[in-house]
Amino acid sequence: MKSLFDTVSYNSSKLVTNTYSTSFSLATKMLYKSIRSDIYNIYGFVRFADEIVDSFHDFNKEELFNRFSDDLELSIKNKISLNPILNSFQHTFHKYDLDKSLVDAFMKSMRMDLHKTDYLTVEDYKAYIYGSADVVGLMCLKVFVKGDDVKYNELKDTAMALGSAFQKVNFLRDLKADFEGLDRSYFPNTDLKNLDESTKRYIINDIEGDFEKGLSGIKKLPIEAKFGVFMAYRYYNQLLKKLKKTPALKIKNSRIRVSNPKKIELLMRSYVKYQLNLM
């Protein structure tokens, strides 16, 4: 039965989310059950594409990515895939009539990671962030508003800002791994070998602006999505605060984390703020 295979597919996307990201998984659990599975489906898709370009160093990554890209196109065209992650994603894609250009932009940015190592201009940097993060926020937003185009267009810019903020925090947190492990440098006009406090402050000020804009959109989200997205915002904002307090030299040489007990504390505090309408 196709329905049984679909159930296996959705469970696979949920497993990917829970296994790869405790923070995103925790935030997703705070969404209403009616939309939770579709967010798992989106995350599973973007995670697999990202894993190909970031992790499979002992294999021909370009060949794997091309095959994944071809299978993605076929899954959307045929409304089925034997790859359970793509099968679950195509279900959400068609259910909410997602814009194919968002998917294409995401895959374009992921493909850039196969070869491109430096984003020397602001234009390149913005283009990469749009494809790797902003469009993921927009796909999730379409689910959050349950396909309502009016609400989607109202919140589109704030969703993109939040996606940008999340991605930039990841870049700052992962400086060491990206630069030393993958030979990548995302921030333009930045010498990562000599990262200083002035450059760090400039980057953080930019991220704080994105967060401020993103929070204004969270407040307008439907109730089914609001607390879950607020929880993700609180986690990444806490991570940014830790990075802000951490010397630039330490950021360059280590990976800053929010501990699991701190994540639970954030959940409790976030719930209180949400209930008291103190967002």
Side-chain angles (χ1 to χ4, degrees), residues 67-260:
R67 190 183 310 161
F68 185 78
S69 180
D70 290 342
D71 288 345
L72 168 66
E73 294 297 322
L74 287 172
S75 73
I76 291 174
K77 176 184 177 182
N78 298 329
K79 299 185 178 182
I80 191 173
S81 175
L82 293 182
N83 179 327
I85 299 301
L86 291 179
N87 186 58
S88 61
F89 176 71
Q90 68 79 22
H91 169 82
T92 296
F93 177 90
H94 290 293
K95 180 179 177 181
Y96 293 96
D97 192 23
L98 298 183
D99 188 339
K100 181 61 161 52
S101 69
L102 301 180
V103 179
D104 293 340
F106 172 76
M107 293 296 285
K108 181 179 179 181
S109 282
M110 293 300 98
R111 186 176 291 279
M112 290 169 71
D113 276 337
L114 288 171
H115 304 292
K116 193 172 179 65
T117 57
D118 294 298
Y119 293 80
L120 301 178
T121 68
V122 173
E123 290 74 19
D124 280 351
Y125 174 62
K126 288 183 176 179
Y128 179 82
I129 288 180
Y130 172 76
S132 65
D134 293 5
V135 299
V136 179
L138 292 176
M139 285 189 275
C140 290
L141 177 62
K142 200 67 180 290
V143 174
F144 296 153
V145 300
K146 291 168 284 190
D148 183 335
D149 287 335
V150 174
K151 193 71 173 175
Y152 174 83
N153 288 324
E154 178 190 351
L155 298 177
K156 184 177 179 180
D157 289 344
T158 58
M160 291 171 62
L162 194 62
S164 290
F166 289 171
Q167 182 68 298
K168 292 171 186 176
V169 169
N170 285 336
F171 287 164
L172 192 57
R173 177 195 62 186
D174 296 336
L175 277 182
K176 177 179 171 64
D178 286 338
F179 188 62
E180 295 183 4
L182 299 173
D183 194 29
R184 289 186 198 149
S185 175
Y186 290 107
F187 293 113
N189 306 315
T190 302
D191 180 6
L192 295 185
K193 292 182 180 178
N194 299 292
L195 182 69
D196 56 23
E197 290 301 320
S198 177
T199 303
K200 189 193 84 170
R201 280 197 303 271
Y202 177 82
I203 292 170
I204 287 177
N205 287 342
D206 177 52
I207 299 172
E208 288 177 335
D210 286 334
F211 268 133
E212 183 178 354
K213 187 174 182 179
L215 180 59
S216 69
I218 294 174
K219 294 176 181 179
K220 299 177 183 178
L221 283 173
I223 191 171
E224 293 91 338
K226 186 179 292 184
F227 181 60
V229 181
F230 180 58
M231 183 61 210
Y233 160 85
R234 289 271 291 167
Y235 165 73
Y236 274 94
N237 201 38
Q238 178 65 31
L239 188 53
L240 183 64
K241 288 178 181 178
K242 287 196 69 173
L243 290 164
K244 192 173 185 177
K245 295 177 181 177
T246 303
L249 183 63
K250 186 173 180 180
I251 291 176
K252 189 181 70 173
N253 294 315
S254 60
R255 191 175 193 265
I256 307 302
R257 299 174 182 270
V258 175
S259 67
N260 286 335

Side-chain angles (χ1 to χ4, degrees), residues 2-3 14 19 71 75 97 133 146 223 236 263 270 279:
K2 173 66 161 52
S3 59
K14 180 179 178 179
T19 302
D71 288 345
S75 73
D97 192 23
K146 291 168 284 190
I223 191 171
Y236 274 94
K263 289 176 185 178
S270 298
M279 296 170 58

Side-chain angles (χ1 to χ4, degrees), residues 261-273:
K262 185 63 178 178
K263 289 176 185 178
I264 300 301
E265 179 186 339
L266 271 174
L267 172 61
M268 303 304 293
R269 290 179 178 272
S270 298
Y271 185 72
V272 172
K273 282 180 173 287

